[in-house]
Amino acid sequence: MIRSLLLMVLLLSGCASLAGDTPYRQFGGRQGLEVLVEDLLVRVLEDPGIGHYFLDVDLDNLHARLVEQFCAELGGPCVYRGRTMRESHATLGISEADFNALVEHLVAVMEARGVPRTARNRLLARLAPMRREIVRP
Ligand code: HEM
């Protein structure tokens, strides 16, 4: 009896911790997102195909806005305070290929940091609809 009770408690606490494992937590919370976005910006800046877009950009601001945005999209305790995707990308002339290149860098850094597949897919699914606001018409 005691043993089965103990087993039940163990199982239930296991479920509770799984349920509490939000995508935000699976990314390592705020700190995890900060290093991830840094990795992303390094890769993007080094990419000869799209690095030029970021030459005159305030990278500290971009880093902060991306962390905020990803955190909010992943259900974390953040509010995105940047401009809309349409506003911030309107004059840049970003192509589908540019967009795909950035997403590939994002996938690569998430994999390299060991973000679980479900959490990776969650972020990609949240960002996908932004394509139409970012890619030039
Ligand atoms: C899902 C894809 C993307 C997301 C979620 C995203 C998100 C953001 C965010 C949050 C900002 C900051 C806005 C602000 O400062 O208020 C920003 C700015 C910027 N993004 Fe993106 N972006 C995406 C795709 C791209 C792509 C594909 C490029 C170019 C290849 C790009 C180039 C830029 C540049 C150059 C800025 C700075 C604009 C400025 O400061 O005037 N973005 N983006």
Side-chain angles (χ1 to χ4, degrees):
M1 178 65 183
I2 296 282
R3 240 206 252 153
S4 51
L5 256 180
L6 271 177
L7 191 66
M8 223 157 88
V9 168
L10 272 178
L11 282 174
L12 283 176
S13 60
C15 288
S17 73
L18 272 184
D21 223 0
T22 61
Y24 172 69
R25 295 236 312 249
Q26 291 182 299
F27 271 81
R30 177 117 205 161
Q31 262 188 344
L33 284 175
E34 292 200 346
V35 288
L36 187 90
V37 169
E38 186 156 348
D39 289 355
L40 176 65
L41 288 179
V42 168
R43 281 187 66 121
V44 161
L45 287 166
E46 282 175 351
D47 181 334
I50 57 173
H52 62 92
Y53 283 107
F54 300 87
L55 286 180
D56 290 325
V57 166
D58 175 350
L59 292 175
D60 286 341
N61 172 67
L62 182 57
H63 180 270
R65 298 291 77 76
L66 284 170
V67 169
E68 216 168 73
Q69 185 190 40
F70 289 3
C71 168
E73 294 296 340
L74 291 165
C78 308
V79 177
Y80 173 63
R81 298 185 192 284
R83 291 168 291 163
T84 65
M85 291 301 93
R86 206 178 287 286
E87 268 171 344
S88 49
H89 300 87
T91 59
L92 300 177
I94 294 169
S95 67
E96 287 277 346
D98 297 332
F99 187 92
N100 294 341
L102 185 133
V103 171
E104 275 170 33
H105 289 305
L106 177 59
V107 170
V109 296
M110 290 192 294
E111 285 177 356
R113 289 277 172 194
V115 177
R117 179 186 297 272
T118 49
R120 295 198 310 257
N121 288 344
R122 165 71 176 261
L123 182 60
L124 294 174
R126 301 288 302 197
L127 300 186
M130 298 177 188
R131 175 188 293 258
R132 60 177 180 270
E133 277 149 35
I134 290 171
V135 170
R136 66 161 180 251

